[in-house]
Amino acid sequence: MNKHFFIIFIVIFISPSQTFASNGAWLFAHRANSPEAVNHAIDDHLNAIEVDISLAKNIPAHRRCTRDLWCAYHRGDTTAYNLSDVLETALTGTGVSGINNSQIGAVWLDVKTGHATHADYQALTHIVFDTLGTGDNTVRKYWGVWPASQLNTTYTQVVRNEIVQRNLQKESTFIIEADSNQDTNLAAQQCQSWGLQCGLSAGNPFLGDLGTHTGPSWDMNNLNYLSGDISHKSHINSIFLWTFNWNGLYEDDMIRLLFGHRSHWEYLAGFNWQCGQEGNGIILGAINSVYPANFCTEADGNDACSIATEAIFAGPLTLGDRYTDLSQPRNQYASSNPLTCNAYYPTD
């Protein structure tokens, strides 16, 4: 009896559904830098927020947050808020009307202060982990790195040490901006040396407005790097694009293509054909303001949130939540003929 039980356990453990990860898809509210903005994201039923984070002493005194060492703040915001208050709203907020339960399962921590002390960054990790908690059923933490040349800094050292020493790999990792093939290689090598699975991001504030054919040349190139270049990178497990403002001609198609399960060769962006490789997240919201009220309100279902959710449900991923495991390698595509993407293979 014990022998049979042991065999069943092993089969379940090595099942491909347990091996492949990064199956969660995230819709991040752009610049959710205030409790009110987070509540707007909750009202729009988004499952993630992006928060800009600045050291309080670097913010003009008349805008500075009143208690925390670190504030939720992007240059241009009228007011900086205590980071802990914004994160607490992600946990317990009920929307502006007070009738919606928070579905926020992840936060993209976009740290804007690149030169602070070890103690300052240590204090930042304490605010994040103490407020959001750690373990299963806690908000997943994506720590932003921009650019990829900034992978060996006091900030990344402190965060990495916290993740590893506290065994938080399932819930915390880095999102690294990739603008070139060199960037994807640097990110993959560094994350492998850290023993972490990491994500890559690409984009610009006008990604959806300009598209990829009319935008800057790097815009076309780096999106293609994300689609094809990471196929054998064992420690890169997720792809993110930013920012979709829902004013341009290209955004609905790009979102469908990013999340859609593709059974044949086609463009992700630019001019290079790629075998289908699903993305894991997008940032949605206005370009130059905190996440606004009623960003997703169109009754016909053509708003950003509805299109993105529909695309996710039509593809191989599911909406991420507070149980999504960030520590597993991503699933990969391969093809045995030039027209069909018809096989999976493990990473190197």
Side-chain angles (χ1 to χ4, degrees):
M1 186 68 172
N2 290 338
K3 180 178 180 181
H4 289 303
F5 176 79
F6 177 77
I7 292 174
I8 292 173
F9 173 79
I10 292 297
V11 169
I12 293 173
F13 180 77
I14 65 174
S15 165
S17 64
Q18 298 293 317
T19 302
F20 295 138
S22 293
N23 291 324
W26 303 101
L27 304 179
F28 293 90
H30 183 227
R31 283 173 74 164
N33 293 345
S34 70
E36 183 180 31
V38 176
N39 274 318
H40 292 325
I42 292 171
D43 285 337
D44 282 341
H45 305 290
L46 299 183
N47 68 338
I49 57 173
E50 180 256 349
V51 181
D52 301 292
I53 301 172
S54 300
L55 193 62
K57 67 181 181 182
N58 293 344
I59 300 171
H62 65 286
R63 297 181 178 178
R64 191 175 302 160
C65 59
T66 57
R67 185 183 67 249
D68 289 354
L69 183 65
W70 291 87
C71 310
Y73 178 78
H74 187 291
R75 185 176 60 183
D77 291 352
T78 58
T79 304
Y81 291 86
N82 294 308
L83 177 59
S84 60
D85 292 341
V86 172
L87 298 180
E88 180 64 31
T89 305
L91 282 179
T92 62
T94 54
V96 174
S97 63
I99 62 174
N100 292 310
N101 293 322
S102 175
Q103 299 176 23
I104 304 300
V107 56
W108 185 330
L109 302 153
D110 192 352
V111 180
K112 298 300 185 182
T113 303
H115 300 284
T117 67
H118 187 282
D120 288 335
Y121 288 124
Q122 194 79 55
L124 171 59
T125 63
H126 288 167
I127 292 173
V128 172
F129 292 129
D130 290 350
T131 305
L132 295 179
T134 59
D136 284 339
N137 197 25
T138 60
V139 172
R140 313 288 90 172
K141 300 92 176 165
Y142 286 102
W143 299 85
V145 178
W146 183 91
S149 60
Q150 300 299 306
L151 285 168
N152 288 296
T153 64
T154 303
Y155 159 62
T156 58
Q157 178 187 10
V158 169
V159 173
R160 179 186 65 88
N161 287 343
E162 284 290 312
I163 293 173
V164 173
Q165 292 174 6
R166 299 174 66 168
N167 196 28
L168 303 177
Q169 292 90 337
K170 289 185 177 181
E171 63 190 71
S172 292
T173 192
F174 292 100
I175 294 180
I176 302 163
E177 181 72 5
D179 291 340
S180 68
N181 175 260
Q182 181 181 13
D183 287 349
T184 60
N185 287 334
L186 283 173
Q189 292 166 6
Q190 187 64 73
C191 293
Q192 185 172 19
S193 72
W194 287 339
L196 297 177
Q197 290 288 332
C198 299
L200 296 178
S201 64
N204 62 56
F206 306 101
L207 181 67
D209 291 303
L210 298 178
T212 55
H213 293 292
T214 57
S217 59
W218 64 264
D219 191 28
M220 291 183 287
N221 291 333
N222 69 359
L223 293 177
N224 275 310
Y225 292 138
L226 294 192
S227 179
D229 186 56
I230 72 163
S231 60
H232 293 287
K233 288 179 167 50
S234 60
H235 284 70
I236 300 296
N237 72 355
S238 45
I239 295 173
F240 304 86
L241 296 185
W242 60 280
T243 296
F244 291 91
N245 314 298
W246 222 242
N247 296 317
L249 298 173
Y250 307 94
E251 297 187 294
D252 55 346
D253 290 334
M254 292 182 70
I255 285 175
R256 291 187 184 99
L257 191 55
L258 176 70
F259 288 123
H261 179 72
R262 297 178 293 283
S263 61
H264 57 279
W265 291 82
E266 60 182 310
Y267 292 116
L268 175 62
F271 302 102
N272 298 325
W273 294 98
Q274 304 289 357
C275 200
Q277 191 155 33
E278 71 272 10
N280 296 92
I282 55 173
I283 293 180
L284 300 166
I287 298 176
N288 292 318
S289 68
V290 297
Y291 191 77
N294 303 319
F295 183 74
C296 294
T297 57
E298 296 184 26
D300 59 3
N302 287 323
D303 61 90
C305 305
S306 297
I307 293 294
T309 302
E310 179 184 3
I312 292 168
F313 289 158
L317 306 184
T318 58
L319 286 169
D321 59 27
R322 297 179 187 181
Y323 289 94
T324 299
D325 185 349
L326 309 185
S327 69
Q328 298 294 317
R330 71 178 285 109
N331 55 306
Q332 302 289 347
Y333 286 104
S335 180
S336 60
N337 68 64
L339 299 177
T340 304
C341 305
N342 58 4
Y344 285 100
Y345 60 90
T347 56
D348 292 345

